């Protein structure tokens, strides 16, 4: 008598689960099974609102009380099952074909590796350049405020990943569309996120190629100077290495590269500032902020310097993408391991950025060249530091640039493949995927050859992409979470958001001025 109702009840969750069949992806992996890939619907804090309906709402003690023991046991088991699979998160079949969501076996360690690889890199080497224009007080103050501000917006993005029950926002653009609307969100988010990824990749090619040239000069010395490669040829060598490594299929598959990038970033950041402060300082050093003859030029230079500080905290365009690689259920939401990994990563980021900025400015002051602390180290102390130590520093920078190129390019690869799969309704083949990545690598190479002024590019990048890190997350929190109107939370986020927009406009103007000024100085520049 009890077997028939039991069988009928067990079959209830089978229908919602059959959302996406397994499909073979270009990397040879199978798409995640719905039970493993589905995400928690617990919102930002892991709990659904009490008024919201869930698939287990009807299975309450009041409902179970008149039912016999066997049926009651089935209903309780079904409730646990529904909670475990994450309240029936809807799956998009296309996600199983795309690089960001193809694999969902990430964890807190992967999150720490990816965030650290994205958060520390060549932009740290340019911070002493910003201090040369800002001075001690404003330099340290702006760096501290920017660090705290971006840490708050990072927390916002982690919480908003599963803000709506049954939905995961796997990409920054998806969250922007949910907050601002389909068209406005797309218009606001696509340009800065793609520009940040492509601009960072271009800057990585510049710093990576130039560092490879310095490494070659230090290792070979006068023995290999008969017919050396030109700077542009070193850019091409570095780009080719990036393209080879970019053939790894998805975001989880580059976790090893992110670990290498994180370790090398911490190591060379420490080596650069330790080597700088351990040597004698230039005799004409001064810590007064650099001033230009015209007042307007000085203002634009300060704006560009603040843009460099803002650019030091890039990486928020990857937060949701990194979190999307993790499994998520109602009992084990993805935001828990993501926030654990992010906290560890940003502790080490602070341990890298602040010593490089402060130690680099102390060692070189306003004598800091436009190329950053690495150029200063080579320019002032290339004959004082053992060649092996100097060569190791340059090699670590090259490894870090190669690793960072992969994680910053992954959202662009995802966009390319999303456009292809939406039109053809099938996953990209290996050849199509490789073609996209080769094309993207060489486009960035040509941009890098056309714009060889790195510090000016960093200021412009910081200004144009500042809303992604400092402004948009605050607006998204207000529009999605809807805090009480005129409360402290409401005012706080609106003020932070509009301040971020204002700073973005000011820093972008400073970056454009600095880049135009550098272009005029380099009118007849030819890389040798």
């Amino acid at each position: 008598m009890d077997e028939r109702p039991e069988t009928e009840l067990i079959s209830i969750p089978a229908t919602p689960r059959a959302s996406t069949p397994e499909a073979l992806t270009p990397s040879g992996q199978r798409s995640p099974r719905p039970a493993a890939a589905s995400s928690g619907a617990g919102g930002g804090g892991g709990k659904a609102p009490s008024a919201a309906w869930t698939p287990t709402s009807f299975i309450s003690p009041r409902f179970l009380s008149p039912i016999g023991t066997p049926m009651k046991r089935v209903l309780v088991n079904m409730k646990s099952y529904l909670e475990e699979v994450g309240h029936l998160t809807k799956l998009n079949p296309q996600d199983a074909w795309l690089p960001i969501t193809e694999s969902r076996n990430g964890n807190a360690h992967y999150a720490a590796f990816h965030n650290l690889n994205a958060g520390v890199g060549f932009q740290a080497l340019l911070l002493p350049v910003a201090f040369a224009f800002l001075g001690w007080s404003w330099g340290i103050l702006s760096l501290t405020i920017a660090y705290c501000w971006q840490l708050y917006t990072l927390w916002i993005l982690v919480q908003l990943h599963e803000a709506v029950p049954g939905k995961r926002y796997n990409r920054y653009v998806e969250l922007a569309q949910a907050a601002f609307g389909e068209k406005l969100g797309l218009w606001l988010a696509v340009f800065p996120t793609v520009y940040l990824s492509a601009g960072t990749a271009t800057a990585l090619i510049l710093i990576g190629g130039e560092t490879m040239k310095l490494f070659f000069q230090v290792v070979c010395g006068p023995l290999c100077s008969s017919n050396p490669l030109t700077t542009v040829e070193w850019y091409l060598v570095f780009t080719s290495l990036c393209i080879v490594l970019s053939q790894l299929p998805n975001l989880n598959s580059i976790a090893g590269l992110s670990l290498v990038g994180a370790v090398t970033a911490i190591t060379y950041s420490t080596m650069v500032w330790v080597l700088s402060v351990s040597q004698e300082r230039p005799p004409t050093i001064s810590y007064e902020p650099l001033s230009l003859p015209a007042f307007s030029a000085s203002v634009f230079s300060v704006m560009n310097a603040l843009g460099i500080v803002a650019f030091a905290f890039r990486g928020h365009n990857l937060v949701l993408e990194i979190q999307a690689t993790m499994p998520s259920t109602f009992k084990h939401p993805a935001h828990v391991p993501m926030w654990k990994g992010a906290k560890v990563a940003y502790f080490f980021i602070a341990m890298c950025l602040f010593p490089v900025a402060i130690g680099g400015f102390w060692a070189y002051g306003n004598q800091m060249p436009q190329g950053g602390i690495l150029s200063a180290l080579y320019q002032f102390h290339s004959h004082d530091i053992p060649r092996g130590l100097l060569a190791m520093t340059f090699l670590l920078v090259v490894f870090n640039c190669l690793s960072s190129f992969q994680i910053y390019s992954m959202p662009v690869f995802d966009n390319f493949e999303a456009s292809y799969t939406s039109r053809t309704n099938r996953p990209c083949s290996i050849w199509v995927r490789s073609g996209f990545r080769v094309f993207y690598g060489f486009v960035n190479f040509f941009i890098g050859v056309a714009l060889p002024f790195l510090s000016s590019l960093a200021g412009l990048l910081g200004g144009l992409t500042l809303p992604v890190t400092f402004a948009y997350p605050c607006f998204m929190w207000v529009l999605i979470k809807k805090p009480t109107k005129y409360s402290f939370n409401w005012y706080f986020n609106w003020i932070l958001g509009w301040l971020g927009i204002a700073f973005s406009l000011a820093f972008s103007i400073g970056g454009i001025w600095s880049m135009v000024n550098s272009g005029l100085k380099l009118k007849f520049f030819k890389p040798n």
Side-chain angles (χ1 to χ4, degrees):
M1 293 292 294
D2 293 332
E3 293 181 357
R4 184 177 176 184
E6 181 173 342
T7 305
E8 292 175 354
L9 285 170
I10 291 176
S11 64
I12 290 175
T15 301
R17 291 185 60 200
S19 54
T20 307
E22 289 190 343
L24 191 63
T25 60
S27 62
Q29 300 180 355
R30 290 190 175 275
S31 61
R33 297 183 66 87
S38 58
S39 62
K47 285 186 177 181
S50 56
W53 183 89
T54 65
T56 59
S57 299
F58 68 94
I59 311 178
S60 61
R62 183 177 178 181
F63 176 79
L64 293 174
S65 56
I67 303 180
T69 302
M71 185 181 296
K72 182 177 181 179
R73 189 183 304 117
V74 170
L75 290 173
V76 171
N77 291 338
M78 186 178 69
K79 178 180 180 181
S80 300
Y81 170 79
L82 290 174
E83 291 178 346
E84 184 62 30
V85 300
H87 280 198
L88 305 177
T89 299
K90 297 178 181 179
L91 298 177
N92 183 358
Q94 190 183 14
D95 280 345
W97 301 336
L98 302 180
I100 290 189
T101 49
E102 186 178 67
S103 172
R104 291 193 190 267
N105 60 353
N107 51 46
H109 298 92
Y110 284 16
F113 300 158
H114 290 316
N115 279 289
L116 193 50
N117 185 30
V120 179
F122 75 92
Q123 76 278 10
L125 305 176
L126 299 172
L127 284 174
V129 179
F131 273 51
F133 290 94
L134 299 173
W136 280 119
S137 301
W138 287 107
I140 295 175
L141 182 63
S142 62
L143 189 61
T144 304
I145 292 175
Y147 179 80
C148 297
W149 191 347
Q150 62 84 34
L151 198 60
Y152 171 67
T153 55
L154 173 71
W155 176 84
I156 286 179
L157 291 175
V158 171
Q159 299 300 316
L160 291 181
H161 176 74
E162 298 170 292
V164 177
K167 172 69 176 175
R168 293 183 73 174
Y169 299 111
N170 297 318
R171 296 161 185 85
Y172 195 99
V173 175
E174 293 178 7
L175 184 61
Q177 288 178 311
F180 303 117
E182 289 287 333
K183 293 184 178 179
L184 182 61
L186 187 66
W187 183 80
L188 289 175
V190 165
F191 172 74
T193 53
V194 173
Y195 185 79
L196 180 58
S197 295
T200 301
T202 300
L204 285 168
I205 289 174
L206 294 178
I207 195 69
E210 291 170 0
T211 308
M212 289 182 75
K213 180 181 178 180
L214 292 176
F215 172 77
F216 181 79
Q217 291 175 351
V218 170
V219 171
C220 289
L223 301 177
C224 305
S225 59
S226 58
N227 190 21
L229 295 177
T230 65
T231 304
V232 173
E233 289 171 339
W234 280 114
Y235 292 163
L236 184 59
V237 172
F238 183 83
T239 304
S240 301
L241 293 175
C242 289
I243 291 173
V244 171
L245 292 176
S246 70
Q247 302 308 312
L248 292 171
N250 54 59
L251 191 53
N252 267 339
S253 67
I254 64 170
L257 280 178
S258 290
L259 175 60
V260 172
V263 172
T264 54
I266 295 172
T267 305
Y268 81 68
S269 297
T270 305
M271 289 178 65
V272 163
W273 74 262
V274 168
L275 290 174
S276 296
V277 301
S278 63
Q279 303 296 320
E280 291 186 5
R281 289 179 287 178
T284 59
I285 191 173
S286 172
Y287 298 111
E288 291 294 324
L290 290 173
S291 59
L292 298 177
F295 175 75
S296 59
S298 298
V299 172
F300 287 141
S301 297
V302 170
M303 292 296 102
N304 182 60
L306 291 173
I308 293 175
V309 173
F311 185 54
F313 298 105
R314 78 216 201 292
H316 281 45
N317 63 314
L318 299 169
V319 171
L320 296 172
E321 285 79 354
I322 295 171
Q323 195 168 347
T325 64
M326 300 179 182
S328 184
T329 65
F330 179 73
K331 291 184 178 180
H332 304 285
H335 71 82
V336 176
M338 178 64 186
W339 184 238
K340 287 181 180 178
K343 286 189 293 185
V344 173
Y346 276 84
F347 170 78
F348 284 105
I349 288 172
M351 294 299 101
C352 292
L353 298 187
F354 282 88
V356 167
I358 297 172
F361 186 56
W362 181 89
Y364 305 108
N366 58 10
Q367 302 296 314
M368 178 67 60
Q370 292 295 303
I373 189 173
L374 198 64
S375 299
L377 186 66
Y378 184 78
Q379 178 179 327
F380 291 104
H381 305 300
S382 59
H383 300 293
D384 304 327
I385 300 174
R387 281 200 317 172
L389 201 57
L390 202 59
M392 182 184 298
T393 305
F394 292 150
L395 188 60
L396 290 173
V397 173
V398 172
F399 286 158
N400 174 257
C401 290
L402 288 170
S403 302
S404 297
F405 184 93
Q406 308 310 318
I407 192 167
Y408 272 95
S409 300
M410 198 59 71
V412 181
F413 299 156
D414 190 82
N415 284 336
F416 285 160
E417 296 188 28
S419 299
Y420 177 86
T421 55
S422 62
R423 293 186 179 187
T424 62
N425 199 28
R426 65 172 183 268
C428 292
S429 65
I430 294 177
W431 296 109
V432 172
R433 174 173 283 182
S434 299
F436 283 146
R437 301 182 183 200
V438 171
F439 169 78
Y440 174 76
F442 282 112
V443 165
N444 284 286
F445 164 74
F446 288 119
I447 295 174
V449 172
L451 300 173
F453 10 91
L454 177 61
S455 60
S456 302
L457 185 63
L460 181 61
L461 279 171
L464 290 177
T465 61
L466 185 144
V468 173
T469 301
F470 296 98
Y472 290 167
C474 300
F475 293 144
M476 292 172 183
W477 180 265
V478 174
L479 295 173
I480 293 178
K481 286 295 187 178
K482 298 186 181 347
T484 305
K485 202 171 185 180
Y486 306 124
S487 64
F488 173 79
N489 193 353
W490 187 86
Y491 275 118
F492 183 70
N493 285 284
W494 276 117
I495 291 173
L496 281 185
W498 285 114
L499 278 177
I501 297 297
F503 287 151
S504 174
L505 295 174
F507 299 168
S508 298
I509 293 172
I512 293 172
W513 176 88
S514 181
M515 192 165 66
V516 170
N517 190 49
S518 299
L520 292 175
K521 290 179 181 179
L522 297 172
K523 185 175 181 181
F524 302 104
F525 171 79
K526 293 182 180 180
N528 50 16

